[in-house]
Amino acid sequence: MPLLVEGRRVRLPQSAGDLVRAHPLLEERARLLRGQSVQQVGPQGLLYVQQRELAVTSPKDGSISILGSDDATTCHIVVLRHTGNGATCLTHCDGSDTKAEVPLIMNSIKSFSDQAQCGRLEVHLVGGFSDDRQLSQKLTHQLLSEFDRQEDDIHLVTLCVTELNDREENENHFPIIYGIAVDVRTAEVYRASFPDRGPEEELRAARALTGGPMISIYDAKTEQLRIGPYSWTPFPHVDFWLQQDDKEILENLSTSPLAEPPHFVEHIRSTLLFLKKYPSPTNTLFPGNKALLYKKNEDGLWEKISPPGS
């Protein structure tokens, strides 16, 4: 079944701009979202989602009430929600395998078994800009096409991507919105930034940088964040990259060098150092090849827990 806007089937392929012009309500929602000020989201109740990660939960969750992600330049942040049971999935897509990722997003929502109740599936797509290599444009098209291919009706509620999320300064283009959060209980999607991106930020970033596929990181039934066990092959020429200056790292390891947030190079350096320290993580980072498990404590902060039977 198709992708719908205001109950009408969307005609694809269209650019994001053409699509909102055909649906004034979408244009208005994108305008309102762009016009918001950025809210800084603290760690309490937050589950931060990195690139190529997916997290899903529902309003019944006693630990997590906000899902969020940021640092999207050419990437898109996708929120899919079932209005009946409130099951909400947020993921950070970079275009590496959109065809495989959209069914994963769909199945994550369907795993909440009471989905037969009334309600509909609503999707929000945010991120990207008018980049030189047209990577954002390509990702927008892939996501719209893949959602349109699913068997369920999916209602497109927010489309603030690529040219709709673009600003120009001195003939250079930049995204307007880099990050969003969704309130799992109220369904509100808003502009956000996240000082706290834990736990295991470097380990998770290393997995994405070495080409790991999209994975689900949270178990809403146990309210536990589950990391790994991951494996990767040693990062090629890691010493060479660590010797390069900021400009080289930016130009070679970013999809959009001019538009990256200020901490991008520092983040890449710390991830490369991590990969140098742990060239093959299986035994060193995951003793007994077991996942690292985290749960929110009473202060709303992530705390490591021992797996059962350890």
mmCIF file of all heavy atoms in Angstrom, residues 110-150:
data_model
loop_
_atom_site.group_PDB
_atom_site.id
_atom_site.type_symbol
_atom_site.label_atom_id
_atom_site.label_comp_id
_atom_site.label_asym_id
_atom_site.label_seq_id
_atom_site.Cartn_x
_atom_site.Cartn_y
_atom_site.Cartn_z
ATOM 1 N N LYS A 110 6.110 -3.248 14.227
ATOM 2 C CA LYS A 110 5.174 -4.385 14.256
ATOM 3 C C LYS A 110 5.475 -5.358 15.398
ATOM 4 O O LYS A 110 4.634 -6.170 15.746
ATOM 5 C CB LYS A 110 5.223 -5.120 12.918
ATOM 6 C CG LYS A 110 4.610 -4.300 11.786
ATOM 7 C CD LYS A 110 4.741 -5.025 10.464
ATOM 8 C CE LYS A 110 4.074 -4.215 9.364
ATOM 9 N NZ LYS A 110 4.162 -4.890 8.077
ATOM 10 N N SER A 111 6.698 -5.269 15.952
ATOM 11 C CA SER A 111 7.049 -6.184 17.043
ATOM 12 C C SER A 111 6.256 -5.867 18.315
ATOM 13 O O SER A 111 6.222 -6.657 19.245
ATOM 14 C CB SER A 111 8.544 -6.110 17.333
ATOM 15 O OG SER A 111 8.863 -4.844 17.875
ATOM 16 N N PHE A 112 5.625 -4.695 18.352
ATOM 17 C CA PHE A 112 4.732 -4.392 19.476
ATOM 18 C C PHE A 112 3.382 -5.026 19.158
ATOM 19 O O PHE A 112 2.609 -4.531 18.355
ATOM 20 C CB PHE A 112 4.618 -2.878 19.683
ATOM 21 C CG PHE A 112 5.825 -2.321 20.363
ATOM 22 C CD1 PHE A 112 7.001 -2.112 19.666
ATOM 23 C CD2 PHE A 112 5.812 -2.048 21.721
ATOM 24 C CE1 PHE A 112 8.137 -1.634 20.289
ATOM 25 C CE2 PHE A 112 6.943 -1.562 22.362
ATOM 26 C CZ PHE A 112 8.108 -1.352 21.645
ATOM 27 N N SER A 113 3.103 -6.150 19.831
ATOM 28 C CA SER A 113 2.085 -7.084 19.328
ATOM 29 C C SER A 113 0.663 -6.532 19.289
ATOM 30 O O SER A 113 -0.163 -7.017 18.552
ATOM 31 C CB SER A 113 2.109 -8.353 20.170
ATOM 32 O OG SER A 113 1.967 -7.985 21.535
ATOM 33 N N ASP A 114 0.378 -5.490 20.087
ATOM 34 C CA ASP A 114 -1.015 -5.011 20.084
ATOM 35 C C ASP A 114 -1.270 -3.993 18.981
ATOM 36 O O ASP A 114 -2.074 -3.106 19.098
ATOM 37 C CB ASP A 114 -1.382 -4.411 21.447
ATOM 38 C CG ASP A 114 -0.385 -3.360 21.891
ATOM 39 O OD1 ASP A 114 0.653 -3.200 21.211
ATOM 40 O OD2 ASP A 114 -0.624 -2.700 22.914
ATOM 41 N N GLN A 115 -0.526 -4.146 17.865
ATOM 42 C CA GLN A 115 -0.670 -3.165 16.773
ATOM 43 C C GLN A 115 -1.954 -3.351 15.979
ATOM 44 O O GLN A 115 -2.263 -2.570 15.106
ATOM 45 C CB GLN A 115 0.526 -3.295 15.840
ATOM 46 C CG GLN A 115 0.753 -4.725 15.434
ATOM 47 C CD GLN A 115 1.202 -4.870 14.010
ATOM 48 O OE1 GLN A 115 1.798 -3.993 13.454
ATOM 49 N NE2 GLN A 115 0.890 -5.981 13.412
ATOM 50 N N ALA A 116 -2.703 -4.413 16.263
ATOM 51 C CA ALA A 116 -3.949 -4.621 15.519
ATOM 52 C C ALA A 116 -4.998 -3.583 15.896
ATOM 53 O O ALA A 116 -6.001 -3.417 15.218
ATOM 54 C CB ALA A 116 -4.489 -6.018 15.797
ATOM 55 N N GLN A 117 -4.766 -2.889 17.021
ATOM 56 C CA GLN A 117 -5.756 -1.898 17.451
ATOM 57 C C GLN A 117 -5.849 -0.743 16.461
ATOM 58 O O GLN A 117 -5.030 -0.609 15.572
ATOM 59 C CB GLN A 117 -5.406 -1.372 18.839
ATOM 60 C CG GLN A 117 -4.138 -0.551 18.846
ATOM 61 C CD GLN A 117 -3.568 -0.430 20.246
ATOM 62 O OE1 GLN A 117 -3.020 -1.367 20.787
ATOM 63 N NE2 GLN A 117 -3.710 0.729 20.836
ATOM 64 N N CYS A 118 -6.853 0.104 16.659
ATOM 65 C CA CYS A 118 -7.053 1.243 15.757
ATOM 66 C C CYS A 118 -5.820 2.124 15.773
ATOM 67 O O CYS A 118 -5.074 2.153 16.737
ATOM 68 C CB CYS A 118 -8.233 2.088 16.223
ATOM 69 S SG CYS A 118 -9.705 1.106 16.413
ATOM 70 N N GLY A 119 -5.671 2.857 14.722
ATOM 71 C CA GLY A 119 -4.528 3.746 14.627
ATOM 72 C C GLY A 119 -3.894 3.615 13.261
ATOM 73 O O GLY A 119 -4.272 2.757 12.466
ATOM 74 N N ARG A 120 -2.922 4.479 13.011
ATOM 75 C CA ARG A 120 -2.273 4.430 11.702
ATOM 76 C C ARG A 120 -0.771 4.644 11.885
ATOM 77 O O ARG A 120 -0.306 5.093 12.937
ATOM 78 C CB ARG A 120 -2.866 5.493 10.789
ATOM 79 C CG ARG A 120 -2.625 6.922 11.252
ATOM 80 C CD ARG A 120 -3.328 7.930 10.342
ATOM 81 N NE ARG A 120 -2.657 9.225 10.385
ATOM 82 C CZ ARG A 120 -2.978 10.249 9.617
ATOM 83 N NH1 ARG A 120 -3.963 10.152 8.738
ATOM 84 N NH2 ARG A 120 -2.326 11.393 9.696
ATOM 85 N N LEU A 121 -0.021 4.319 10.837
ATOM 86 C CA LEU A 121 1.424 4.525 10.852
ATOM 87 C C LEU A 121 1.741 5.903 10.287
ATOM 88 O O LEU A 121 1.288 6.254 9.199
ATOM 89 C CB LEU A 121 2.117 3.451 9.999
ATOM 90 C CG LEU A 121 2.120 2.039 10.581
ATOM 91 C CD1 LEU A 121 2.532 1.037 9.510
ATOM 92 C CD2 LEU A 121 3.050 1.940 11.787
ATOM 93 N N GLU A 122 2.511 6.678 11.050
ATOM 94 C CA GLU A 122 2.884 8.019 10.605
ATOM 95 C C GLU A 122 4.404 8.123 10.541
ATOM 96 O O GLU A 122 5.108 7.653 11.438
ATOM 97 C CB GLU A 122 2.354 9.073 11.590
ATOM 98 C CG GLU A 122 0.832 9.118 11.610
ATOM 99 C CD GLU A 122 0.281 10.254 12.461
ATOM 100 O OE1 GLU A 122 1.015 10.817 13.308
ATOM 101 O OE2 GLU A 122 -0.917 10.568 12.274
ATOM 102 N N VAL A 123 4.901 8.751 9.475
ATOM 103 C CA VAL A 123 6.354 8.874 9.326
ATOM 104 C C VAL A 123 6.764 10.348 9.237
ATOM 105 O O VAL A 123 6.050 11.179 8.669
ATOM 106 C CB VAL A 123 6.864 8.061 8.098
ATOM 107 C CG1 VAL A 123 6.454 8.693 6.757
ATOM 108 C CG2 VAL A 123 8.374 7.880 8.161
ATOM 109 N N HIS A 124 7.906 10.625 9.851
ATOM 110 C CA HIS A 124 8.511 11.961 9.829
ATOM 111 C C HIS A 124 9.922 11.803 9.283
ATOM 112 O O HIS A 124 10.692 10.976 9.787
ATOM 113 C CB HIS A 124 8.597 12.547 11.243
ATOM 114 C CG HIS A 124 7.284 12.541 11.988
ATOM 115 N ND1 HIS A 124 6.459 13.639 12.047
ATOM 116 C CD2 HIS A 124 6.678 11.559 12.700
ATOM 117 C CE1 HIS A 124 5.375 13.327 12.772
ATOM 118 N NE2 HIS A 124 5.497 12.071 13.175
ATOM 119 N N LEU A 125 10.286 12.592 8.266
ATOM 120 C CA LEU A 125 11.630 12.540 7.681
ATOM 121 C C LEU A 125 12.267 13.926 7.798
ATOM 122 O O LEU A 125 11.704 14.912 7.318
ATOM 123 C CB LEU A 125 11.576 12.148 6.201
ATOM 124 C CG LEU A 125 10.860 10.841 5.821
ATOM 125 C CD1 LEU A 125 10.848 10.667 4.309
ATOM 126 C CD2 LEU A 125 11.534 9.646 6.469
ATOM 127 N N VAL A 126 13.445 13.975 8.445
ATOM 128 C CA VAL A 126 14.109 15.256 8.669
ATOM 129 C C VAL A 126 15.604 15.098 8.418
ATOM 130 O O VAL A 126 16.207 14.107 8.846
ATOM 131 C CB VAL A 126 13.902 15.747 10.129
ATOM 132 C CG1 VAL A 126 14.588 17.097 10.347
ATOM 133 C CG2 VAL A 126 12.417 15.847 10.471
ATOM 134 N N GLY A 127 16.203 16.079 7.725
ATOM 135 C CA GLY A 127 17.662 16.067 7.561
ATOM 136 C C GLY A 127 18.097 16.280 6.122
ATOM 137 O O GLY A 127 17.287 16.370 5.211
ATOM 138 N N GLY A 128 19.414 16.343 5.938
ATOM 139 C CA GLY A 128 19.949 16.568 4.601
ATOM 140 C C GLY A 128 19.885 18.039 4.211
ATOM 141 O O GLY A 128 19.320 18.870 4.917
ATOM 142 N N PHE A 129 20.467 18.362 3.071
ATOM 143 C CA PHE A 129 20.447 19.734 2.543
ATOM 144 C C PHE A 129 20.833 19.653 1.065
ATOM 145 O O PHE A 129 21.019 18.555 0.535
ATOM 146 C CB PHE A 129 21.409 20.629 3.347
ATOM 147 C CG PHE A 129 22.871 20.293 3.192
ATOM 148 C CD1 PHE A 129 23.735 21.143 2.508
ATOM 149 C CD2 PHE A 129 23.401 19.130 3.748
ATOM 150 C CE1 PHE A 129 25.085 20.828 2.368
ATOM 151 C CE2 PHE A 129 24.757 18.817 3.609
ATOM 152 C CZ PHE A 129 25.592 19.664 2.915
ATOM 153 N N SER A 130 20.935 20.786 0.397
ATOM 154 C CA SER A 130 21.279 20.767 -1.041
ATOM 155 C C SER A 130 22.794 20.647 -1.195
ATOM 156 O O SER A 130 23.481 21.620 -1.516
ATOM 157 C CB SER A 130 20.765 22.041 -1.724
ATOM 158 O OG SER A 130 19.362 22.110 -1.597
ATOM 159 N N ASP A 131 23.323 19.452 -0.941
ATOM 160 C CA ASP A 131 24.773 19.261 -0.978
ATOM 161 C C ASP A 131 25.259 19.075 -2.416
ATOM 162 O O ASP A 131 24.520 18.624 -3.283
ATOM 163 C CB ASP A 131 25.180 18.070 -0.100
ATOM 164 C CG ASP A 131 24.629 16.739 -0.605
ATOM 165 O OD1 ASP A 131 23.411 16.485 -0.431
ATOM 166 O OD2 ASP A 131 25.399 15.962 -1.177
ATOM 167 N N ASP A 132 26.534 19.386 -2.633
ATOM 168 C CA ASP A 132 27.134 19.350 -3.977
ATOM 169 C C ASP A 132 26.994 17.991 -4.645
ATOM 170 O O ASP A 132 26.805 17.899 -5.847
ATOM 171 C CB ASP A 132 28.633 19.685 -3.911
ATOM 172 C CG ASP A 132 28.857 21.130 -3.489
ATOM 173 O OD1 ASP A 132 27.874 21.896 -3.550
ATOM 174 O OD2 ASP A 132 29.988 21.469 -3.090
ATOM 175 N N ARG A 133 27.151 16.926 -3.853
ATOM 176 C CA ARG A 133 27.159 15.590 -4.446
ATOM 177 C C ARG A 133 25.756 14.997 -4.564
ATOM 178 O O ARG A 133 25.587 13.871 -4.994
ATOM 179 C CB ARG A 133 28.058 14.672 -3.611
ATOM 180 C CG ARG A 133 29.523 15.103 -3.684
ATOM 181 C CD ARG A 133 30.356 14.538 -2.547
ATOM 182 N NE ARG A 133 30.435 13.081 -2.593
ATOM 183 C CZ ARG A 133 30.957 12.328 -1.624
ATOM 184 N NH1 ARG A 133 31.436 12.888 -0.539
ATOM 185 N NH2 ARG A 133 30.984 11.027 -1.752
ATOM 186 N N GLN A 134 24.764 15.774 -4.133
ATOM 187 C CA GLN A 134 23.350 15.355 -4.205
ATOM 188 C C GLN A 134 23.087 14.048 -3.451
ATOM 189 O O GLN A 134 22.198 13.261 -3.807
ATOM 190 C CB GLN A 134 22.893 15.229 -5.663
ATOM 191 C CG GLN A 134 23.001 16.546 -6.398
ATOM 192 C CD GLN A 134 22.097 16.610 -7.605
ATOM 193 O OE1 GLN A 134 21.868 15.609 -8.285
ATOM 194 N NE2 GLN A 134 21.567 17.776 -7.894
ATOM 195 N N LEU A 135 23.873 13.820 -2.387
ATOM 196 C CA LEU A 135 23.679 12.617 -1.574
ATOM 197 C C LEU A 135 22.359 12.701 -0.804
ATOM 198 O O LEU A 135 21.654 11.707 -0.652
ATOM 199 C CB LEU A 135 24.845 12.453 -0.589
ATOM 200 C CG LEU A 135 26.213 12.187 -1.229
ATOM 201 C CD1 LEU A 135 27.328 12.290 -0.197
ATOM 202 C CD2 LEU A 135 26.232 10.806 -1.885
ATOM 203 N N SER A 136 22.043 13.920 -0.316
ATOM 204 C CA SER A 136 20.783 14.098 0.425
ATOM 205 C C SER A 136 19.588 13.813 -0.474
ATOM 206 O O SER A 136 18.643 13.125 -0.082
ATOM 207 C CB SER A 136 20.663 15.535 0.941
ATOM 208 O OG SER A 136 21.772 15.897 1.717
ATOM 209 N N GLN A 137 19.659 14.352 -1.680
ATOM 210 C CA GLN A 137 18.568 14.197 -2.647
ATOM 211 C C GLN A 137 18.325 12.703 -2.936
ATOM 212 O O GLN A 137 17.189 12.235 -2.975
ATOM 213 C CB GLN A 137 18.978 14.911 -3.930
ATOM 214 C CG GLN A 137 17.845 15.238 -4.851
ATOM 215 C CD GLN A 137 18.362 16.006 -6.068
ATOM 216 O OE1 GLN A 137 19.540 16.328 -6.169
ATOM 217 N NE2 GLN A 137 17.478 16.284 -6.997
ATOM 218 N N LYS A 138 19.423 11.988 -3.098
ATOM 219 C CA LYS A 138 19.349 10.562 -3.389
ATOM 220 C C LYS A 138 18.706 9.803 -2.215
ATOM 221 O O LYS A 138 17.842 8.944 -2.408
ATOM 222 C CB LYS A 138 20.776 10.046 -3.643
ATOM 223 C CG LYS A 138 20.857 8.634 -4.182
ATOM 224 C CD LYS A 138 22.310 8.303 -4.540
ATOM 225 C CE LYS A 138 22.520 6.805 -4.534
ATOM 226 N NZ LYS A 138 23.942 6.449 -4.510
ATOM 227 N N LEU A 139 19.120 10.160 -0.992
ATOM 228 C CA LEU A 139 18.592 9.485 0.191
ATOM 229 C C LEU A 139 17.101 9.793 0.382
ATOM 230 O O LEU A 139 16.315 8.901 0.709
ATOM 231 C CB LEU A 139 19.406 9.895 1.431
ATOM 232 C CG LEU A 139 18.987 9.272 2.765
ATOM 233 C CD1 LEU A 139 18.912 7.759 2.700
ATOM 234 C CD2 LEU A 139 19.946 9.708 3.881
ATOM 235 N N THR A 140 16.716 11.051 0.153
ATOM 236 C CA THR A 140 15.295 11.419 0.235
ATOM 237 C C THR A 140 14.470 10.542 -0.711
ATOM 238 O O THR A 140 13.449 9.966 -0.327
ATOM 239 C CB THR A 140 15.088 12.904 -0.155
ATOM 240 O OG1 THR A 140 15.747 13.730 0.802
ATOM 241 C CG2 THR A 140 13.616 13.274 -0.187
ATOM 242 N N HIS A 141 14.968 10.436 -1.939
ATOM 243 C CA HIS A 141 14.254 9.659 -2.952
ATOM 244 C C HIS A 141 14.157 8.179 -2.552
ATOM 245 O O HIS A 141 13.102 7.550 -2.669
ATOM 246 C CB HIS A 141 14.944 9.810 -4.306
ATOM 247 C CG HIS A 141 14.311 8.998 -5.388
ATOM 248 N ND1 HIS A 141 13.045 9.288 -5.876
ATOM 249 C CD2 HIS A 141 14.723 7.885 -6.037
ATOM 250 C CE1 HIS A 141 12.725 8.375 -6.793
ATOM 251 N NE2 HIS A 141 13.730 7.522 -6.904
ATOM 252 N N GLN A 142 15.279 7.630 -2.051
ATOM 253 C CA GLN A 142 15.284 6.218 -1.627
ATOM 254 C C GLN A 142 14.276 5.972 -0.508
ATOM 255 O O GLN A 142 13.519 5.002 -0.543
ATOM 256 C CB GLN A 142 16.681 5.824 -1.107
ATOM 257 C CG GLN A 142 17.743 5.681 -2.180
ATOM 258 C CD GLN A 142 19.119 5.430 -1.555
ATOM 259 O OE1 GLN A 142 19.306 5.547 -0.347
ATOM 260 N NE2 GLN A 142 20.087 5.090 -2.388
ATOM 261 N N LEU A 143 14.288 6.843 0.484
ATOM 262 C CA LEU A 143 13.393 6.640 1.638
ATOM 263 C C LEU A 143 11.924 6.742 1.235
ATOM 264 O O LEU A 143 11.107 5.895 1.602
ATOM 265 C CB LEU A 143 13.710 7.651 2.746
ATOM 266 C CG LEU A 143 14.956 7.338 3.583
ATOM 267 C CD1 LEU A 143 15.391 8.558 4.390
ATOM 268 C CD2 LEU A 143 14.707 6.150 4.514
ATOM 269 N N LEU A 144 11.590 7.764 0.450
ATOM 270 C CA LEU A 144 10.193 7.913 0.007
ATOM 271 C C LEU A 144 9.771 6.703 -0.825
ATOM 272 O O LEU A 144 8.681 6.157 -0.642
ATOM 273 C CB LEU A 144 10.025 9.207 -0.798
ATOM 274 C CG LEU A 144 10.113 10.514 -0.001
ATOM 275 C CD1 LEU A 144 10.165 11.711 -0.941
ATOM 276 C CD2 LEU A 144 8.944 10.660 0.982
ATOM 277 N N SER A 145 10.657 6.263 -1.719
ATOM 278 C CA SER A 145 10.326 5.121 -2.588
ATOM 279 C C SER A 145 10.138 3.847 -1.783
ATOM 280 O O SER A 145 9.217 3.071 -2.030
ATOM 281 C CB SER A 145 11.424 4.893 -3.633
ATOM 282 O OG SER A 145 11.602 6.056 -4.391
ATOM 283 N N GLU A 146 11.034 3.607 -0.799
ATOM 284 C CA GLU A 146 10.948 2.371 -0.004
ATOM 285 C C GLU A 146 9.712 2.369 0.891
ATOM 286 O O GLU A 146 9.044 1.345 1.031
ATOM 287 C CB GLU A 146 12.217 2.155 0.822
ATOM 288 C CG GLU A 146 13.429 1.753 -0.008
ATOM 289 C CD GLU A 146 13.194 0.551 -0.919
ATOM 290 O OE1 GLU A 146 12.544 -0.420 -0.482
ATOM 291 O OE2 GLU A 146 13.653 0.587 -2.081
ATOM 292 N N PHE A 147 9.400 3.503 1.494
ATOM 293 C CA PHE A 147 8.173 3.552 2.317
ATOM 294 C C PHE A 147 6.936 3.350 1.440
ATOM 295 O O PHE A 147 5.965 2.732 1.842
ATOM 296 C CB PHE A 147 8.088 4.859 3.115
ATOM 297 C CG PHE A 147 8.848 4.814 4.414
ATOM 298 C CD1 PHE A 147 9.980 5.593 4.608
ATOM 299 C CD2 PHE A 147 8.448 3.960 5.441
ATOM 300 C CE1 PHE A 147 10.700 5.524 5.802
ATOM 301 C CE2 PHE A 147 9.154 3.888 6.641
ATOM 302 C CZ PHE A 147 10.280 4.670 6.817
ATOM 303 N N ASP A 148 7.014 3.853 0.220
ATOM 304 C CA ASP A 148 5.894 3.699 -0.723
ATOM 305 C C ASP A 148 5.718 2.232 -1.136
ATOM 306 O O ASP A 148 4.639 1.828 -1.557
ATOM 307 C CB ASP A 148 6.149 4.577 -1.957
ATOM 308 C CG ASP A 148 4.902 4.769 -2.798
ATOM 309 O OD1 ASP A 148 3.842 5.076 -2.224
ATOM 310 O OD2 ASP A 148 4.982 4.601 -4.032
ATOM 311 N N ARG A 149 6.778 1.430 -1.024
ATOM 312 C CA ARG A 149 6.730 0.015 -1.429
ATOM 313 C C ARG A 149 6.199 -0.914 -0.348
ATOM 314 O O ARG A 149 5.963 -2.092 -0.600
ATOM 315 C CB ARG A 149 8.147 -0.471 -1.754
ATOM 316 C CG ARG A 149 8.549 -0.121 -3.148
ATOM 317 C CD ARG A 149 9.737 -0.948 -3.626
ATOM 318 N NE ARG A 149 10.159 -0.356 -4.887
ATOM 319 C CZ ARG A 149 11.264 0.354 -5.041
ATOM 320 N NH1 ARG A 149 12.109 0.484 -4.056
ATOM 321 N NH2 ARG A 149 11.551 0.898 -6.204
ATOM 322 N N GLN A 150 6.076 -0.417 0.888
ATOM 323 C CA GLN A 150 5.640 -1.302 1.987
ATOM 324 C C GLN A 150 4.161 -1.661 1.817
ATOM 325 O O GLN A 150 3.417 -0.967 1.142
ATOM 326 C CB GLN A 150 5.875 -0.622 3.338
ATOM 327 C CG GLN A 150 7.321 -0.198 3.568
ATOM 328 C CD GLN A 150 8.309 -1.342 3.375
ATOM 329 O OE1 GLN A 150 8.196 -2.396 3.983
ATOM 330 N NE2 GLN A 150 9.285 -1.132 2.483
#
